[in-house]
Amino acid sequence: MNNKNIYFDHAATTPLCEEALNKMIPYFTEVFGNPNSQHAFGRESVKAVDEARDTIAKIINAKPSEIYFTSGGTEGDNWALRGVAHAFKDKGKHLIISPIEHAAMLVTAKALKKEGFEVSYMKVDEYGVVDLEHLESIIRPDTIFIGCMMANNEVGTIEPIKEIAAIAKKHGVICFTDAVQAAGVLKIDVKDLGVDLMSMSAHKIYGPKGVGALYIRNGVKVESILTGGHQERMKRGGTTNVAGIVGFAEAFKIADRDIDKNFEYVSMLRDRFIDRVLEEVPFVKLNGPRTGRLPANADFSFKFIEGESILFSLDLAGIAVSSGSACSSGSLEPSHVLLALGLPEELAHGSIRFSFGKHNTIEEVDYAVDTIKDAVKRLREMSPLFKAEGDIKYV
Ligand code: PLP
């Protein structure tokens, strides 16, 4: 076991920050009441959840009544897509999403197809940016939902959500954005953006796992998917995750307070990494745009090598990264995101995502580049593909 332990997989999850942990602890022990209970224990918990709701609403310029706590991004995405589809099915059955959405959207859309909904996909360019003209051209009188992520979890592309929301509004269609990778990293003002719904998750921003929120603009009709008790103003059943919610709000507050500082620092690490890899490792392709991407994200395809073999070499050297998105890791399928960007299958197979965080250092970045150089050289020496094609310059 290598003793380096360098973590470059912040897009998969982040460590819980100390501030959030300290804020959460009492809610596991002394303040344990169920917020639904009609007694002092319950009221203390209600107070904590209300405060958290106020904090989160304020950060994204929403009203507290527009914040619904969930179990994370997956539930928020499911709720938005399914909830709108079911609420508006009498108006129409046509849904539009981007082809580079998270599985929480793509798989839900597939399930809705089985219920008789039709799904169209917006076109994206070679960097993953949505083609707005194409989007407008595929809207139909029966379109009821337009959904696009604010920033892609694999290649880091930041999407023109304000423009997408304006197109949706012009055509009277509900607009949703998955801000799981963006909330706490990019400044978000839901009113300025004009979206109707937005999902968020705590564990991407140094908060706890298993908690998030869905912003639902007041007045927007969305059917519940978790039916049960009266929680979340009758819209989402299930005993409230008080400690998780408290930790989420605290982590979001810290992330928002430090947003500019973190953006600048993490972008500096990423740029140093990208510059060095492009300069020093032959036959690599940076996936996603050079600018207009999340500060933490660098995604590369290494020609002639399987992504998994680089991942294992880096793991042996004590560096944690992921191949493709966290969720498709472990599968041998090429990345759906890279295929949508037009990459050939062999490059869509060979991608590695590096995602940096506020605790990483320049020394770690430099060590990673040196390790990659060695690993790539060694793996290519063993690759019959490289021997056959190695003299062809790849651009
Ligand atoms: N949406 C995006 C863009 C994500 O990156 C993720 C997690 O990787 C999710 C949704 C799912 O969020 P959660 O892990 O909170 O369920």
Side-chain angles (χ1 to χ4, degrees), residues 11-12 71-75 77 102 104 149 151-153 178 180-181 199-204 210-211 326-327:
S71 62
T74 300
E75 186 188 328
D77 289 2
H102 187 269
M149 61 203 338
N152 181 263
N153 48 303
D178 168 340
V180 168
Q181 293 286 340
S199 60
M200 297 165 271
S201 181
H203 74 103
K204 310 290 184 182
V211 61
C327 314

PDB file of all heavy atoms in Angstrom, residues 11-12 71-75 77 102 104 149 151-153 178 180-181 199-204 210-211 326-327, ligand 1:
ATOM      1  N   ALA A  11     -15.191  15.087  -7.715  1.00  0.00           N
ATOM      2  CA  ALA A  11     -16.483  15.109  -8.406  1.00  0.00           C
ATOM      3  C   ALA A  11     -17.314  13.892  -7.998  1.00  0.00           C
ATOM      4  O   ALA A  11     -18.535  13.885  -8.146  1.00  0.00           O
ATOM      5  CB  ALA A  11     -16.282  15.134  -9.913  1.00  0.00           C
ATOM      6  N   ALA A  12     -16.636  12.845  -7.489  1.00  0.00           N
ATOM      7  CA  ALA A  12     -17.373  11.669  -7.006  1.00  0.00           C
ATOM      8  C   ALA A  12     -17.931  11.957  -5.621  1.00  0.00           C
ATOM      9  O   ALA A  12     -19.114  11.763  -5.356  1.00  0.00           O
ATOM     10  CB  ALA A  12     -16.464  10.451  -6.957  1.00  0.00           C
ATOM     11  N   SER A  71     -32.936  13.098  -0.479  1.00  0.00           N
ATOM     12  CA  SER A  71     -31.810  12.241  -0.082  1.00  0.00           C
ATOM     13  C   SER A  71     -30.586  12.497  -0.961  1.00  0.00           C
ATOM     14  O   SER A  71     -29.599  11.773  -0.866  1.00  0.00           O
ATOM     15  CB  SER A  71     -32.223  10.770  -0.180  1.00  0.00           C
ATOM     16  OG  SER A  71     -32.557  10.470  -1.523  1.00  0.00           O
ATOM     17  N   GLY A  72     -30.651  13.497  -1.833  1.00  0.00           N
ATOM     18  CA  GLY A  72     -29.478  13.824  -2.657  1.00  0.00           C
ATOM     19  C   GLY A  72     -29.855  14.126  -4.094  1.00  0.00           C
ATOM     20  O   GLY A  72     -31.044  14.317  -4.421  1.00  0.00           O
ATOM     21  N   GLY A  73     -28.855  14.164  -4.947  1.00  0.00           N
ATOM     22  CA  GLY A  73     -29.055  14.542  -6.338  1.00  0.00           C
ATOM     23  C   GLY A  73     -29.920  13.550  -7.115  1.00  0.00           C
ATOM     24  O   GLY A  73     -30.755  13.937  -7.931  1.00  0.00           O
ATOM     25  N   THR A  74     -29.723  12.285  -6.848  1.00  0.00           N
ATOM     26  CA  THR A  74     -30.485  11.265  -7.584  1.00  0.00           C
ATOM     27  C   THR A  74     -31.979  11.437  -7.333  1.00  0.00           C
ATOM     28  O   THR A  74     -32.782  11.431  -8.266  1.00  0.00           O
ATOM     29  CB  THR A  74     -30.017   9.852  -7.161  1.00  0.00           C
ATOM     30  OG1 THR A  74     -28.623   9.745  -7.462  1.00  0.00           O
ATOM     31  CG2 THR A  74     -30.785   8.764  -7.895  1.00  0.00           C
ATOM     32  N   GLU A  75     -32.339  11.632  -6.077  1.00  0.00           N
ATOM     33  CA  GLU A  75     -33.760  11.813  -5.780  1.00  0.00           C
ATOM     34  C   GLU A  75     -34.284  13.117  -6.385  1.00  0.00           C
ATOM     35  O   GLU A  75     -35.395  13.153  -6.937  1.00  0.00           O
ATOM     36  CB  GLU A  75     -34.006  11.797  -4.256  1.00  0.00           C
ATOM     37  CG  GLU A  75     -35.496  11.834  -3.946  1.00  0.00           C
ATOM     38  CD  GLU A  75     -35.803  12.021  -2.462  1.00  0.00           C
ATOM     39  OE1 GLU A  75     -35.032  11.548  -1.605  1.00  0.00           O
ATOM     40  OE2 GLU A  75     -36.835  12.658  -2.179  1.00  0.00           O
ATOM     41  N   ASP A  77     -33.263  14.675  -9.064  1.00  0.00           N
ATOM     42  CA  ASP A  77     -33.407  14.503 -10.518  1.00  0.00           C
ATOM     43  C   ASP A  77     -34.643  13.668 -10.838  1.00  0.00           C
ATOM     44  O   ASP A  77     -35.434  13.996 -11.719  1.00  0.00           O
ATOM     45  CB  ASP A  77     -32.167  13.804 -11.100  1.00  0.00           C
ATOM     46  CG  ASP A  77     -30.936  14.710 -11.103  1.00  0.00           C
ATOM     47  OD1 ASP A  77     -31.030  15.850 -10.622  1.00  0.00           O
ATOM     48  OD2 ASP A  77     -29.876  14.267 -11.588  1.00  0.00           O
ATOM     49  N   HIS A 102     -26.706  13.065 -16.053  1.00  0.00           N
ATOM     50  CA  HIS A 102     -26.363  11.992 -15.120  1.00  0.00           C
ATOM     51  C   HIS A 102     -27.356  10.835 -15.304  1.00  0.00           C
ATOM     52  O   HIS A 102     -28.492  11.046 -15.749  1.00  0.00           O
ATOM     53  CB  HIS A 102     -26.462  12.556 -13.699  1.00  0.00           C
ATOM     54  CG  HIS A 102     -25.971  11.620 -12.639  1.00  0.00           C
ATOM     55  ND1 HIS A 102     -26.793  10.725 -11.992  1.00  0.00           N
ATOM     56  CD2 HIS A 102     -24.744  11.445 -12.126  1.00  0.00           C
ATOM     57  CE1 HIS A 102     -26.077  10.046 -11.117  1.00  0.00           C
ATOM     58  NE2 HIS A 102     -24.830  10.456 -11.172  1.00  0.00           N
ATOM     59  N   ALA A 104     -29.143   9.476 -13.263  1.00  0.00           N
ATOM     60  CA  ALA A 104     -30.392   9.718 -12.527  1.00  0.00           C
ATOM     61  C   ALA A 104     -31.459  10.312 -13.450  1.00  0.00           C
ATOM     62  O   ALA A 104     -32.656  10.109 -13.247  1.00  0.00           O
ATOM     63  CB  ALA A 104     -30.134  10.654 -11.341  1.00  0.00           C
ATOM     64  N   MET A 149     -28.263  19.738 -17.258  1.00  0.00           N
ATOM     65  CA  MET A 149     -27.410  19.945 -16.079  1.00  0.00           C
ATOM     66  C   MET A 149     -26.683  21.288 -16.171  1.00  0.00           C
ATOM     67  O   MET A 149     -26.389  21.781 -17.266  1.00  0.00           O
ATOM     68  CB  MET A 149     -26.419  18.804 -15.925  1.00  0.00           C
ATOM     69  CG  MET A 149     -25.494  18.655 -17.080  1.00  0.00           C
ATOM     70  SD  MET A 149     -24.746  17.014 -17.297  1.00  0.00           S
ATOM     71  CE  MET A 149     -24.814  16.193 -15.773  1.00  0.00           C
ATOM     72  N   ALA A 151     -23.667  21.859 -14.902  1.00  0.00           N
ATOM     73  CA  ALA A 151     -22.276  21.549 -15.238  1.00  0.00           C
ATOM     74  C   ALA A 151     -22.144  20.034 -15.276  1.00  0.00           C
ATOM     75  O   ALA A 151     -22.717  19.332 -14.436  1.00  0.00           O
ATOM     76  CB  ALA A 151     -21.330  22.132 -14.204  1.00  0.00           C
ATOM     77  N   ASN A 152     -21.397  19.559 -16.264  1.00  0.00           N
ATOM     78  CA  ASN A 152     -21.285  18.112 -16.438  1.00  0.00           C
ATOM     79  C   ASN A 152     -20.295  17.488 -15.456  1.00  0.00           C
ATOM     80  O   ASN A 152     -19.192  17.999 -15.265  1.00  0.00           O
ATOM     81  CB  ASN A 152     -20.896  17.794 -17.890  1.00  0.00           C
ATOM     82  CG  ASN A 152     -20.805  16.313 -18.120  1.00  0.00           C
ATOM     83  OD1 ASN A 152     -19.728  15.734 -18.069  1.00  0.00           O
ATOM     84  ND2 ASN A 152     -21.941  15.670 -18.325  1.00  0.00           N
ATOM     85  N   ASN A 153     -20.682  16.353 -14.901  1.00  0.00           N
ATOM     86  CA  ASN A 153     -19.859  15.694 -13.879  1.00  0.00           C
ATOM     87  C   ASN A 153     -18.629  15.003 -14.455  1.00  0.00           C
ATOM     88  O   ASN A 153     -17.690  14.719 -13.730  1.00  0.00           O
ATOM     89  CB  ASN A 153     -20.697  14.681 -13.095  1.00  0.00           C
ATOM     90  CG  ASN A 153     -21.512  13.776 -13.993  1.00  0.00           C
ATOM     91  OD1 ASN A 153     -22.311  14.240 -14.807  1.00  0.00           O
ATOM     92  ND2 ASN A 153     -21.305  12.494 -13.863  1.00  0.00           N
ATOM     93  N   ASP A 178     -29.966  20.331 -13.195  1.00  0.00           N
ATOM     94  CA  ASP A 178     -29.282  19.523 -12.187  1.00  0.00           C
ATOM     95  C   ASP A 178     -28.012  20.299 -11.825  1.00  0.00           C
ATOM     96  O   ASP A 178     -27.084  20.395 -12.619  1.00  0.00           O
ATOM     97  CB  ASP A 178     -28.963  18.162 -12.820  1.00  0.00           C
ATOM     98  CG  ASP A 178     -27.998  17.309 -11.994  1.00  0.00           C
ATOM     99  OD1 ASP A 178     -27.280  17.865 -11.134  1.00  0.00           O
ATOM    100  OD2 ASP A 178     -27.932  16.093 -12.233  1.00  0.00           O
ATOM    101  N   VAL A 180     -26.017  19.625  -9.255  1.00  0.00           N
ATOM    102  CA  VAL A 180     -25.278  18.833  -8.269  1.00  0.00           C
ATOM    103  C   VAL A 180     -23.779  19.149  -8.291  1.00  0.00           C
ATOM    104  O   VAL A 180     -23.142  19.243  -7.250  1.00  0.00           O
ATOM    105  CB  VAL A 180     -25.553  17.323  -8.487  1.00  0.00           C
ATOM    106  CG1 VAL A 180     -24.593  16.458  -7.679  1.00  0.00           C
ATOM    107  CG2 VAL A 180     -26.991  17.000  -8.128  1.00  0.00           C
ATOM    108  N   GLN A 181     -23.220  19.332  -9.489  1.00  0.00           N
ATOM    109  CA  GLN A 181     -21.780  19.628  -9.560  1.00  0.00           C
ATOM    110  C   GLN A 181     -21.512  21.133  -9.464  1.00  0.00           C
ATOM    111  O   GLN A 181     -20.353  21.544  -9.318  1.00  0.00           O
ATOM    112  CB  GLN A 181     -21.184  19.097 -10.873  1.00  0.00           C
ATOM    113  CG  GLN A 181     -21.181  17.581 -10.986  1.00  0.00           C
ATOM    114  CD  GLN A 181     -20.132  16.903 -10.104  1.00  0.00           C
ATOM    115  OE1 GLN A 181     -19.159  17.521  -9.661  1.00  0.00           O
ATOM    116  NE2 GLN A 181     -20.312  15.630  -9.827  1.00  0.00           N
ATOM    117  N   SER A 199     -31.878  20.726  -8.793  1.00  0.00           N
ATOM    118  CA  SER A 199     -31.460  19.742  -7.782  1.00  0.00           C
ATOM    119  C   SER A 199     -30.055  20.049  -7.272  1.00  0.00           C
ATOM    120  O   SER A 199     -29.217  20.573  -8.017  1.00  0.00           O
ATOM    121  CB  SER A 199     -31.511  18.320  -8.354  1.00  0.00           C
ATOM    122  OG  SER A 199     -30.647  18.208  -9.458  1.00  0.00           O
ATOM    123  N   MET A 200     -29.820  19.717  -6.006  1.00  0.00           N
ATOM    124  CA  MET A 200     -28.513  19.950  -5.365  1.00  0.00           C
ATOM    125  C   MET A 200     -28.200  18.751  -4.469  1.00  0.00           C
ATOM    126  O   MET A 200     -29.112  18.032  -4.061  1.00  0.00           O
ATOM    127  CB  MET A 200     -28.572  21.202  -4.483  1.00  0.00           C
ATOM    128  CG  MET A 200     -28.851  22.476  -5.241  1.00  0.00           C
ATOM    129  SD  MET A 200     -29.323  23.821  -4.120  1.00  0.00           S
ATOM    130  CE  MET A 200     -31.082  23.615  -4.018  1.00  0.00           C
ATOM    131  N   SER A 201     -26.916  18.590  -4.155  1.00  0.00           N
ATOM    132  CA  SER A 201     -26.500  17.482  -3.296  1.00  0.00           C
ATOM    133  C   SER A 201     -25.395  17.963  -2.364  1.00  0.00           C
ATOM    134  O   SER A 201     -24.520  18.720  -2.778  1.00  0.00           O
ATOM    135  CB  SER A 201     -26.007  16.332  -4.175  1.00  0.00           C
ATOM    136  OG  SER A 201     -25.618  15.250  -3.375  1.00  0.00           O
ATOM    137  N   ALA A 202     -25.429  17.493  -1.112  1.00  0.00           N
ATOM    138  CA  ALA A 202     -24.476  18.004  -0.116  1.00  0.00           C
ATOM    139  C   ALA A 202     -23.070  17.431  -0.247  1.00  0.00           C
ATOM    140  O   ALA A 202     -22.081  18.109   0.019  1.00  0.00           O
ATOM    141  CB  ALA A 202     -25.011  17.702   1.293  1.00  0.00           C
ATOM    142  N   HIS A 203     -22.978  16.152  -0.681  1.00  0.00           N
ATOM    143  CA  HIS A 203     -21.667  15.494  -0.544  1.00  0.00           C
ATOM    144  C   HIS A 203     -20.635  15.912  -1.588  1.00  0.00           C
ATOM    145  O   HIS A 203     -19.488  15.493  -1.527  1.00  0.00           O
ATOM    146  CB  HIS A 203     -21.829  13.965  -0.505  1.00  0.00           C
ATOM    147  CG  HIS A 203     -22.163  13.308  -1.805  1.00  0.00           C
ATOM    148  ND1 HIS A 203     -21.223  12.626  -2.535  1.00  0.00           N
ATOM    149  CD2 HIS A 203     -23.320  13.210  -2.507  1.00  0.00           C
ATOM    150  CE1 HIS A 203     -21.803  12.117  -3.625  1.00  0.00           C
ATOM    151  NE2 HIS A 203     -23.071  12.474  -3.625  1.00  0.00           N
ATOM    152  N   LYS A 204     -21.051  16.753  -2.545  1.00  0.00           N
ATOM    153  CA  LYS A 204     -20.080  17.252  -3.525  1.00  0.00           C
ATOM    154  C   LYS A 204     -19.400  18.516  -3.009  1.00  0.00           C
ATOM    155  O   LYS A 204     -18.475  19.021  -3.618  1.00  0.00           O
ATOM    156  CB  LYS A 204     -20.768  17.563  -4.861  1.00  0.00           C
ATOM    157  CG  LYS A 204     -21.642  16.470  -5.418  1.00  0.00           C
ATOM    158  CD  LYS A 204     -20.849  15.277  -5.910  1.00  0.00           C
ATOM    159  CE  LYS A 204     -21.785  14.257  -6.560  1.00  0.00           C
ATOM    160  NZ  LYS A 204     -21.093  13.065  -7.013  1.00  0.00           N
ATOM    161  N   GLY A 210     -26.008  11.486   1.213  1.00  0.00           N
ATOM    162  CA  GLY A 210     -27.395  11.082   1.453  1.00  0.00           C
ATOM    163  C   GLY A 210     -28.335  12.223   1.788  1.00  0.00           C
ATOM    164  O   GLY A 210     -29.380  11.997   2.398  1.00  0.00           O
ATOM    165  N   VAL A 211     -27.978  13.441   1.412  1.00  0.00           N
ATOM    166  CA  VAL A 211     -28.883  14.568   1.641  1.00  0.00           C
ATOM    167  C   VAL A 211     -28.682  15.603   0.536  1.00  0.00           C
ATOM    168  O   VAL A 211     -27.579  15.777   0.014  1.00  0.00           O
ATOM    169  CB  VAL A 211     -28.698  15.174   3.057  1.00  0.00           C
ATOM    170  CG1 VAL A 211     -27.300  15.700   3.283  1.00  0.00           C
ATOM    171  CG2 VAL A 211     -29.728  16.262   3.348  1.00  0.00           C
ATOM    172  N   ALA A 326     -18.186   8.742 -11.942  1.00  0.00           N
ATOM    173  CA  ALA A 326     -18.131   7.851 -10.782  1.00  0.00           C
ATOM    174  C   ALA A 326     -19.141   6.732 -10.920  1.00  0.00           C
ATOM    175  O   ALA A 326     -18.884   5.599 -10.551  1.00  0.00           O
ATOM    176  CB  ALA A 326     -18.419   8.627  -9.511  1.00  0.00           C
ATOM    177  N   CYS A 327     -20.282   7.099 -11.496  1.00  0.00           N
ATOM    178  CA  CYS A 327     -21.367   6.136 -11.518  1.00  0.00           C
ATOM    179  C   CYS A 327     -21.164   5.071 -12.566  1.00  0.00           C
ATOM    180  O   CYS A 327     -21.663   3.968 -12.443  1.00  0.00           O
ATOM    181  CB  CYS A 327     -22.671   6.853 -11.758  1.00  0.00           C
ATOM    182  SG  CYS A 327     -22.780   8.280 -10.718  1.00  0.00           S
TER     183      CYS A 327
HETATM  184  N1  PLP B   1     -26.215  14.646 -10.890  1.00  0.00           N
HETATM  185  C1  PLP B   1     -24.908  14.834 -11.100  1.00  0.00           C
HETATM  186  C2  PLP B   1     -24.485  15.800 -12.148  1.00  0.00           C
HETATM  187  C3  PLP B   1     -23.956  14.143 -10.344  1.00  0.00           C
HETATM  188  O1  PLP B   1     -22.669  14.336 -10.577  1.00  0.00           O
HETATM  189  C4  PLP B   1     -24.412  13.228  -9.358  1.00  0.00           C
HETATM  190  C5  PLP B   1     -23.438  12.435  -8.575  1.00  0.00           C
HETATM  191  O2  PLP B   1     -22.373  12.065  -9.036  1.00  0.00           O
HETATM  192  C6  PLP B   1     -25.783  13.085  -9.154  1.00  0.00           C
HETATM  193  C7  PLP B   1     -26.667  13.804  -9.944  1.00  0.00           C
HETATM  194  C8  PLP B   1     -26.317  12.177  -8.091  1.00  0.00           C
HETATM  195  O3  PLP B   1     -26.188  12.796  -6.840  1.00  0.00           O
HETATM  196  P1  PLP B   1     -26.222  11.952  -5.488  1.00  0.00           P
HETATM  197  O4  PLP B   1     -24.928  11.233  -5.400  1.00  0.00           O
HETATM  198  O5  PLP B   1     -26.381  12.971  -4.406  1.00  0.00           O
HETATM  199  O6  PLP B   1     -27.395  11.044  -5.565  1.00  0.00           O
END
